[in-house]
Amino acid sequence: MSQVILMAHGSGGQMSHTLIREVFLRYFDGEALAELGDAGLVEDGSFRAGRLAITTDSYVVKPLFFPGGDVGKLAVCGTVNDLAVAGARPLYLTAGFILEEGLPMETLERVVRSMAETARQAGVQIAAGDTKVVERGAADGLFINTAGVGALLTPEPLSPRRLRAGDILLINGPVGDHGLAIMLQREGLTFQSGLTSDCAPLNGLIAALLAELPGEVRCMRDPTRGGLATTLNEWAGVGVGIEIDEEAVPVRPAARAACEILGLDPLYIANEGKVLIAVAPASAERALAILRSHPLGREAVIIGRVTEEHPGRVVLRTAYGARRVLDMLAGDPLPRIC
C-alpha cells in the first residue's frame, strides 16, 4: 500500500478497499462494521426500536452547486439512501459543517436551505449538528459530514451473503448521470450535454418494494463511488458469480457521448439516485412493476443475474455476444464527485 494518501484512496475502488482493510479494520472491529455495508446494523434490547441501522458519510464535492443538485442535497440524499438500501426507514440525521474563512454567507444559507428541503422531502429530521471554521486555504469553501439513524424494516439483514444462483439484478434507471454532470460542470461543458445529476432520496421507492415483497429482496446497494461495476464486484466478493448484459444496462445517449469524449466507462461512474437490487427469481417481474410505478423507478430494468459460474467474478455479456470480466475500479478518474 502507498505510504501516503492518494486521491484514488477516495475513489471507492480497489485502493479504497485496500485502505479500509489494511488501516481501519486493523484497529476498528465489531460485527456491525465487518459487513462493510452502506450502514452498520445494530441490535440491542435497550433500543425501543429494537434494530437500528447507523451510517456516516462526508461530502467534499466540487463544485458546491451542479446541475440537479448541490452539496447540501447530496449530503441528505446520500445518507438517507445508505440507510434505505440497508433495509431501514431513515429517521434522524446529523450535520457537521467545516467552513472555510471567507465563504459567502449567502452560499452557506443556500446549502442549508437545500438540506432542509431535501430532508422534508425524505421525511427525516436533522436532529443535531456542529460547525467548525478553518482558516483560508485549509478547506475548499465548505465540507459536510453527516450521520444517520434508521429503524430496520426487514426481518433479516439485507446482505450479499443472501445471494443465490438464479437471483435477478435490477436497477431503477440509467447509470452515470451524477458523476458526468459534475465533471462536465467543472469543464464548462454542461450546456452542451444537458446532463443533470440523478441525486434523489430513494427511501420511498425502497420502502414500497420491501412492503410489497417481504423476504424476497436479497440485498440492495446504491452504486455511488466506483459505479455499478464496483458495487457488483463487492457483491461477487462473497463467492458468487454475477453476469450482466451490456445492452440491458441503461445509459443515456448524452452520458454515453460524454464518456466517449472523456475516455470513461459509464459502468464505473458514480450515481446518487440509483439502487441496485437483487431479488428472488420468482419475484423479478413483480419487483420491476413496483419500481416502475414510482417516479424514481420509471426507467427500471433487469440487467443481469447471479450464477453458479465463475464465482467471485463479474462478467459482462457484450452486445456482440462475447464475455469480458469487469474488475473493481482502479485509480480515480473522477475525484470529488460526492
Side-chain angles (χ1 to χ4, degrees):
M1 188 171 69
S2 169
Q3 297 303 303
V4 297
I5 291 295
L6 305 175
M7 291 300 292
H9 284 120
S11 68
Q14 290 179 351
M15 291 188 68
S16 294
H17 284 73
T18 299
L19 178 68
I20 292 168
R21 185 178 61 251
E22 297 192 9
V23 177
F24 296 113
L25 292 184
R26 283 176 60 195
Y27 301 98
F28 301 156
D29 57 14
E31 186 177 343
L33 192 59
E35 186 72 20
L36 294 181
D38 284 325
L41 309 185
V42 294
E43 185 169 4
D44 189 303
S46 61
F47 297 153
R48 183 171 296 181
R51 300 161 64 240
L52 300 177
I54 301 173
T55 190
T56 187
D57 211 335
S58 299
Y59 298 87
V60 297
V61 64
K62 183 179 182 179
L64 296 176
F65 302 94
F66 48 84
D70 56 77
V71 65
K73 179 180 180 181
L74 187 64
V76 173
C77 292
T79 310
V80 164
N81 293 345
D82 282 349
L83 292 169
V85 297
R89 179 166 66 90
L91 297 172
Y92 301 103
L93 307 185
T94 70
F97 294 85
I98 307 297
L99 308 177
E100 182 181 8
E101 179 187 23
L103 177 74
M105 196 63 72
E106 179 184 0
T107 300
L108 175 60
E109 187 166 344
R110 185 177 167 191
V111 169
V112 172
R113 184 166 58 245
S114 176
M115 290 185 75
E117 291 172 354
T118 308
R120 279 193 292 273
Q121 180 186 355
V124 298
Q125 293 184 41
I126 297 176
D130 181 57
T131 301
K132 295 291 188 294
V133 179
V134 297
E135 63 271 31
R136 292 177 188 269
D140 198 356
L142 164 63
F143 298 149
I144 300 175
N145 173 265
T146 59
V149 176
L152 283 175
L153 300 172
T154 58
E156 294 184 37
L158 302 180
S159 166
R161 300 184 192 285
R162 298 183 67 220
L163 292 172
R164 299 291 180 269
D167 286 348
I168 301 298
L169 307 178
L170 306 94
I171 196 162
N172 63 318
V175 300
D177 290 357
H178 174 75
L180 290 167
I182 299 288
M183 178 54 71
L184 293 174
Q185 174 85 351
R186 285 185 203 163
E187 300 298 324
L189 299 172
T190 302
F191 177 76
Q192 290 91 331
S193 76
L195 277 175
T196 61
S197 168
D198 59 353
C199 182
L202 296 169
N203 52 321
L205 172 73
I206 290 171
L209 186 69
L210 294 176
E212 293 289 332
L213 296 175
E216 295 297 288
V217 177
R218 308 291 200 203
C219 62
M220 295 186 284
R221 187 70 61 86
D222 53 337
T224 53
R225 291 179 301 165
L228 178 65
T230 295
T231 299
L232 290 170
N233 270 279
E234 291 171 352
W235 285 9
V238 302
V240 300
I242 289 178
E243 288 189 3
I244 61 170
D245 299 318
E246 184 177 34
E247 289 189 309
V249 178
V251 181
R252 299 191 195 285
R256 196 176 298 282
C259 281
E260 290 177 358
I261 292 171
L262 298 171
L264 301 171
D265 186 335
L267 299 180
Y268 291 94
I269 306 297
N271 312 275
E272 291 292 342
K274 294 297 173 295
V275 54
L276 176 67
I277 304 162
V279 299
S283 299
E285 291 300 325
R286 178 62 182 147
L288 190 61
I290 294 167
L291 293 174
R292 287 178 173 174
S293 68
H294 191 281
L296 295 177
R298 286 176 181 151
E299 298 174 280
V301 292
I302 292 173
I303 61 169
R305 63 205 62 80
V306 178
T307 76
E308 292 181 339
E309 300 176 51
H310 46 77
R313 289 189 177 275
V314 179
V315 171
L316 177 76
R317 287 181 178 270
T318 72
Y320 302 102
R323 294 181 175 189
R324 70 178 173 93
V325 173
L326 286 180
D327 289 320
M328 188 173 287
L329 176 68
D332 191 3
L334 296 176
R336 293 186 59 181
I337 46 80
C338 60

